[in-house]
Amino acid sequence: MVREKVTVSTRTLQWRCVESRVDSKRLYYGRFILSPLMKGQADTIGIAMRRALLGEIEGTCITRVKSEKIPHEYSTIRGIQESVHEILMNLKEIVLRSNFYGTCNASICVKGPVYVTAQDIILPPYVEIIDNTQHIASLTEPIDLCIGLQIERNRGYVIRTKNNFQDGSYPIDAVFMPIRNANHSIHSYGNGNEKQEILFLEIWTNGSLTPQEALHEASRNLIDFFITFLHPEEENLHLEDTKHAIPLSPFIFHDKLAKLRKNKKKTVLKSIFIDQSEFPARIYNCLKGSNIYTLLDLLNNSQEDLMKIKHLGLEDIKQILSILEKHFSIDLPKNKF
């Protein structure tokens, strides 16, 4: 456990982690403070952060199991101690971490007698198991157990329906929420008009990300929601004369409009993080290792600059350019000059 003394700054808004601990591989805890805040601000920020933590952060889990040898969900298989339903519930508890978007496949192929755990799952390289000791099934006889798994990254809680059932394929209620719990509390100090507040945030995660990573991701999600309101006048600018309007010459008007668009584009690019741009995990890690966190950071580099990044090859550069062209219709210059 790590504890730090809480100190309050009366000059600039600051946040810090005052307590952190790892209770188990599947339970992390962090406690953070934000101060100094004016009266009422702590509640506004705390409610928004808690909702973003619990509802907007994406997670990865197993959503479907495929096997032609399983007659139905509530059947039993000779030589396996657990019923099929119990195996499905055990797979639901597997905690995964990944950087991919969409769905991918994994599998389990073992021969009994054996104690099957999460480490027996054959995964793609961009998916990681948090706790390899998580129990799946106990094979008591020399039989083969081969099942296919579908893994998905999403957010929230998805309940299986009758329409999700297919021959030899069984959906699992998907809990994509890596945040187990989040609380906020407020400490007030001072008197009268000088009264100020400290916001305390408590975060528990399932181990697929740390509480500090969760705090950063929730903050980015909130920024994405509100970025639209930064320059609304640009999108709704009308040329009609009004009673109080001051006419602008065409040159001044178009010049101001161009500056607005340029500034907004820069702000938007700064708020798009590279982990939101469908880059493969290896490319994402290479860019992050070179202090490239946002799309604006990436656009400040040329193709020649990217070639100098360790473990980033020509094919990786082509993939980056393809993603930029596909999703943002922008390109990187070959060099800065």
Side-chain angles (χ1 to χ4, degrees):
M1 182 189 295
V2 179
R3 286 182 179 270
E4 295 183 16
K5 185 178 179 181
V6 178
T7 58
V8 178
S9 168
T10 57
R11 294 183 179 180
T12 57
L13 192 64
Q14 296 179 344
W15 75 273
R16 66 188 302 182
C17 177
V18 294
E19 184 180 352
S20 65
R21 66 172 184 262
V22 179
D23 294 329
S24 70
K25 289 183 178 180
R26 287 178 276 164
L27 184 58
Y28 285 40
Y29 171 79
R31 190 164 180 251
F32 308 88
I33 63 169
L34 179 68
S35 68
L37 295 165
M38 296 175 63
K39 186 178 178 180
Q41 290 181 338
D43 210 25
T44 301
I45 299 172
I47 292 172
M49 286 300 299
R50 185 175 185 274
R51 292 184 67 90
L53 285 163
L54 293 175
E56 299 300 331
I57 296 182
E58 294 183 340
T60 305
C61 61
I62 299 170
T63 57
R64 187 176 291 274
V65 176
K66 303 174 184 178
S67 177
E68 296 178 355
K69 295 183 179 180
I70 300 177
H72 57 83
E73 179 185 355
Y74 298 99
S75 62
T76 58
I77 301 175
R78 183 178 178 182
I80 300 181
Q81 186 173 314
E82 292 82 3
S83 67
V84 173
H85 178 72
E86 289 174 323
I87 294 174
L88 293 178
M89 292 302 98
N90 290 337
L91 289 169
K92 178 181 176 180
E93 297 297 320
I94 301 293
V95 179
L96 302 171
R97 178 188 178 103
S98 73
N99 288 320
F100 82 99
Y101 289 86
T103 61
C104 66
N105 296 321
S107 62
I108 299 175
C109 289
V110 294
K111 184 176 180 63
V114 69
Y115 185 77
V116 185
T117 62
Q119 69 178 354
D120 295 305
I121 301 176
I122 303 171
L123 293 166
Y126 42 83
V127 181
E128 174 189 354
I129 295 175
I130 299 303
D131 185 2
N132 286 327
T133 65
Q134 283 185 264
H135 175 68
I136 297 176
S138 299
L139 276 60
T140 57
E141 297 183 13
I143 62 170
D144 293 327
L145 176 65
C146 291
I147 56 177
L149 306 174
Q150 178 179 285
I151 296 173
E152 186 176 345
R153 180 182 172 94
N154 208 324
R155 67 181 181 89
Y157 185 78
V158 179
I159 302 176
R160 59 184 180 172
T161 62
K162 292 182 179 180
N163 296 332
N164 286 336
F165 285 88
Q166 303 171 5
D167 293 338
S169 177
Y170 302 91
I172 301 176
D173 290 345
V175 184
F176 294 107
M177 298 177 290
I179 309 302
R180 290 194 168 188
N181 196 10
N183 290 329
H184 83 277
S185 57
I186 300 168
H187 171 70
S188 299
Y189 63 96
N191 296 310
N193 294 331
E194 297 181 358
K195 197 168 186 179
Q196 293 180 315
E197 297 177 337
I198 304 175
L199 172 65
F200 288 83
L201 280 170
E202 292 183 290
I203 303 172
W204 291 261
T205 73
N206 65 0
S208 63
L209 75 173
T210 66
Q212 186 164 326
E213 288 174 331
L215 188 64
H216 290 174
E217 188 168 339
S219 301
R220 291 203 303 264
N221 287 336
L222 286 176
I223 290 171
D224 288 342
F225 288 139
F226 294 114
I227 194 72
T228 309
F229 298 110
L230 289 182
H231 297 287
E233 68 274 14
E234 168 188 351
E235 302 297 333
N236 302 301
L237 196 57
H238 300 289
L239 300 181
E240 294 86 5
D241 289 332
T242 61
K243 196 182 297 182
H244 305 287
I246 300 175
L248 295 174
S249 71
F251 299 103
I252 296 176
F253 173 80
H254 289 296
D255 185 47
K256 286 182 176 290
L257 185 59
K259 286 183 179 179
L260 275 174
R261 286 177 175 163
K262 184 178 180 180
N263 291 337
K264 181 176 181 182
K265 184 177 181 181
K266 186 175 181 179
T267 304
V268 171
L269 293 177
K270 192 174 181 179
S271 70
I272 299 176
F273 291 79
I274 58 173
D275 59 352
Q276 300 171 295
S277 305
E278 298 185 6
F279 290 125
R282 194 178 64 80
I283 294 180
Y284 166 75
N285 290 329
C286 289
L287 294 175
K288 187 177 178 182
S290 298
N291 297 321
I292 297 175
Y293 300 101
T294 67
L295 198 59
L296 186 61
D297 294 337
L298 181 58
L299 295 180
N300 287 332
N301 291 269
S302 65
Q303 297 179 33
E304 185 180 8
D305 294 330
L306 296 183
M307 287 295 293
K308 297 176 182 178
I309 297 177
K310 191 175 181 180
H311 304 307
L312 210 60
L314 182 59
E315 292 301 319
D316 299 323
I317 306 299
K318 290 181 179 178
Q319 194 166 0
I320 292 173
L321 296 175
S322 175
I323 292 173
L324 290 176
E325 174 64 29
K326 177 181 177 182
H327 296 288
F328 307 103
S329 299
I330 52 180
D331 193 13
L332 294 179
K334 291 186 177 181
N335 51 61
K336 286 189 176 180
F337 304 100

